[in-house]
Amino acid sequence: MKIIKLAVAAAITAAAVLVPAGAAQAAPCQGIYSIAHYGGKVEVTGGFACDNGWQPAYLVLLRSQAGGPQQYAASGMGVATYVCRTSDVWTYQLGGQVVGSGGYILPDVHCG
């Protein structure tokens, strides 16, 4: 019984030594986004290029007409695609986990 207690105490001590003293810092990341329309669709793509690889962002595609309120069009991780239902003129904007000034707008699109 004494041997088991020593082994457990040694394992706990070893684990405590392996844990870093400070909190891990996030790798520097850069947001990369695109918005385009083609073939009756509007698509946004985006994510974060980090030192430890690519991480898709949660994206929301919003749309509005002639200064009206924004409406939800689509959402997704890394990509969001809206399939147009009419050929009316709409303005599309990227939202969600967007880092930066938010200049991701596609104005006056005849989508259909």
Side-chain angles (χ1 to χ4, degrees), residues 40-41 63 72-74 82-88 90 92 111-112:
K41 299 176 185 177
R63 67 184 194 151
Y72 169 88
Y82 174 73
V83 178
C84 302
R85 293 182 178 90
T86 69
S87 60
D88 295 343
W90 290 86
Y92 293 86
C111 193

Side-chain angles (χ1 to χ4, degrees), residues 12-94:
I12 292 171
T13 303
V17 171
L18 296 175
V19 175
Q25 294 194 4
C29 299
Q30 177 182 2
I32 299 174
Y33 312 96
S34 69
I35 183 168
H37 70 95
Y38 59 91
K41 299 176 185 177
V42 176
E43 184 174 88
V44 292
T45 59
F48 307 103
C50 303
D51 288 348
N52 61 351
W54 175 258
Q55 299 172 12
Y58 176 71
L59 304 172
V60 177
L61 180 60
L62 305 169
R63 67 184 194 151
S64 62
Q65 265 186 321
Q70 288 186 330
Q71 300 174 2
Y72 169 88
S75 62
M77 287 299 294
V79 64
T81 305
Y82 174 73
V83 178
C84 302
R85 293 182 178 90
T86 69
S87 60
D88 295 343
V89 177
W90 290 86
T91 295
Y92 293 86
Q93 183 171 2
L94 173 61

